[in-house]
Amino acid sequence: MPKAAHHIFLLVLVTCFSTSANAAASLQKCKETLENFRQLGNVPEMLAESYGYAVLPTIGKGGIGIGGAGGTGCVFAGGKHTGNISMGQVTIGWQLGGQAYSQIILFKNADVYKDFTKGQFEFGADATAVALTYGAAAGASTKGASASAGDTRAKGAWKRGMAVFTLVKGGLMYEASIGGQKFRFKPVSH
């Protein structure tokens, strides 16, 4: 890709992510996304063990070499909506494509929840998520063939008091790291 085209693509990409990140996820959309996760893997068991959780209904991600991601969501503790979050991520390294996915972050105890909701939180480079899908898909294009397969029964585990699951909504991305995701928490007043 010529350098000028690469810069135009990145400008469009950043514009798309900033637009989607500014449109806050509704509480209804967060609850619907939570119900989707409850049907997959060992999410129900881990939810029952958790102190709280954050749900991001849609995260948009894309890039060519340099990538970005963004989305908004809701945070809950004891089943009550306690605040909203926005997430941003910039990645550098080999990556190509675009993707939309949902994400849920489970907090095992109050200390981990409080650390996440202090205001700003960032996943370290070693952070991982369990990818869940409803099935398998394959496709072909002029660029070649692609395939993705998911597991509705994938199992998550607690790591540093958190468990993270993602659910692909569409698109194709050859890089799936959550390391570097930065979250900004804003409490709701009741």
Side-chain angles (χ1 to χ4, degrees), residues 2 8 27 30 41 45 60 82 88 91 119-120 135 137 143 146 151 161 173 177:
I8 291 170
L27 184 56
C30 289
E45 294 86 359
T82 59
T91 54
Q120 293 190 10
K143 305 285 185 199
S146 65
D151 188 353
M173 187 75 184
S177 169

Side-chain angles (χ1 to χ4, degrees), residues 93-110:
W94 196 90
Q95 54 199 312
L96 174 67
Q99 181 180 59
Y101 62 97
S102 299
Q103 182 170 308
I104 187 168
I105 306 162
L106 306 180
F107 312 112
K108 186 158 179 99
N109 57 48

Side-chain angles (χ1 to χ4, degrees), residues 83-98:
N84 297 309
I85 53 171
S86 59
M87 186 280 290
Q89 177 186 33
V90 174
T91 54
I92 299 173
W94 196 90
Q95 54 199 312
L96 174 67

Side-chain angles (χ1 to χ4, degrees), residues 26-169:
S26 71
L27 184 56
Q28 180 62 33
K29 201 70 170 151
C30 289
K31 289 179 179 181
E32 289 169 7
T33 302
L34 175 63
E35 290 311 309
N36 290 339
F37 275 105
R38 283 186 192 272
Q39 301 171 31
L40 303 170
N42 65 334
V43 174
E45 294 86 359
M46 294 190 79
L47 267 169
E49 296 174 22
S50 69
Y51 176 86
Y53 50 90
V55 179
L56 293 101
T58 303
I59 296 174
K61 185 174 190 173
I64 297 178
I66 297 174
T72 60
C74 310
V75 178
F76 299 84
K80 294 184 182 192
H81 180 220
T82 59
N84 297 309
I85 53 171
S86 59
M87 186 280 290
Q89 177 186 33
V90 174
T91 54
I92 299 173
W94 196 90
Q95 54 199 312
L96 174 67
Q99 181 180 59
Y101 62 97
S102 299
Q103 182 170 308
I104 187 168
I105 306 162
L106 306 180
F107 312 112
K108 186 158 179 99
N109 57 48
D111 290 339
V112 176
Y113 168 83
K114 286 176 188 169
D115 189 40
F116 185 86
T117 59
K118 274 194 245 182
Q120 293 190 10
F121 177 87
E122 180 176 351
F123 278 126
D126 64 339
T128 58
V130 175
L132 299 168
T133 62
Y134 285 110
S141 71
T142 57
K143 305 285 185 199
S146 65
S148 65
D151 188 353
T152 59
R153 299 174 308 268
K155 301 289 182 191
W158 296 108
K159 183 175 182 181
R160 295 187 185 118
M162 294 181 163
V164 183
F165 295 89
T166 61
L167 179 59
V168 175
K169 296 174 85 170

